């Protein structure tokens, strides 16, 4: 009976701290994935890590990647226009 009491205390602790809710949300997300990932564990790690506070350096890198993608798209568009121009003449 002492073991049951300890389990119940631990369950309440997990519930109060939000662990059960977070795990449930991640497991539901995995369940709702149309194409199941090769590694369910990696899926869980990725999604649990995503809820952690964001490192400012990582956020800066994400912004830089977004800027680079915009520049890349602009260069591709310019390249397409220039190719069309060259073919016309």
């Amino acid at each position: 009976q002492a073991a049951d009491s300890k389990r119940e205390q631990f369950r309440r602790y997990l519930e109060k701290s939000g662990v059960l809710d977070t795990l449930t949300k991640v497991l539901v997300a995995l369940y709702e994935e149309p194409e199941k990932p090769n590694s369910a564990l990696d899926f869980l790690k990725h999604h649990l890590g995503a809820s952690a506070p964001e490192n400012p350096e990582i956020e800066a890198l994400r912004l830089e990647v977004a800027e680079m993608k915009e520049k890349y798209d602009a260069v591709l568009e310019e390249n397409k226009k220039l190719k069309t121009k060259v073919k016309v003449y």
Side-chain angles (χ1 to χ4, degrees):
Q1 200 170 17
D4 286 342
S5 175
K6 280 188 170 188
R7 280 193 195 120
E8 184 57 28
Q9 286 177 343
F10 186 66
R11 190 196 61 74
R12 281 195 304 264
Y13 162 74
L14 292 176
E15 194 170 349
K16 279 184 182 178
S17 62
V19 172
L20 291 180
D21 187 46
T22 302
L23 283 174
T24 300
K25 287 178 183 176
V26 173
L27 289 172
V28 167
L30 177 59
Y31 175 78
E32 292 176 346
E33 273 293 306
E35 292 185 31
K36 302 296 182 235
N38 291 333
S39 172
L41 185 57
D42 286 344
F43 181 92
L44 294 175
K45 286 179 182 177
H46 173 75
H47 282 78
L48 288 173
S51 64
E54 192 65 38
N55 179 339
E57 187 176 326
I58 291 174
E59 184 57 31
L61 289 172
R62 285 191 183 159
L63 289 173
E64 186 177 345
V65 166
E67 289 174 18
M68 292 296 156
K69 284 181 179 178
E70 286 180 25
K71 287 179 182 179
Y72 174 76
D73 290 341
V75 168
L76 281 180
E77 189 61 34
E78 182 183 13
N79 188 352
K80 187 191 278 185
K81 288 178 183 176
L82 290 172
K83 282 181 177 181
T84 306
K85 241 183 188 179
V86 170
K87 288 181 183 177
V88 172
Y89 298 117

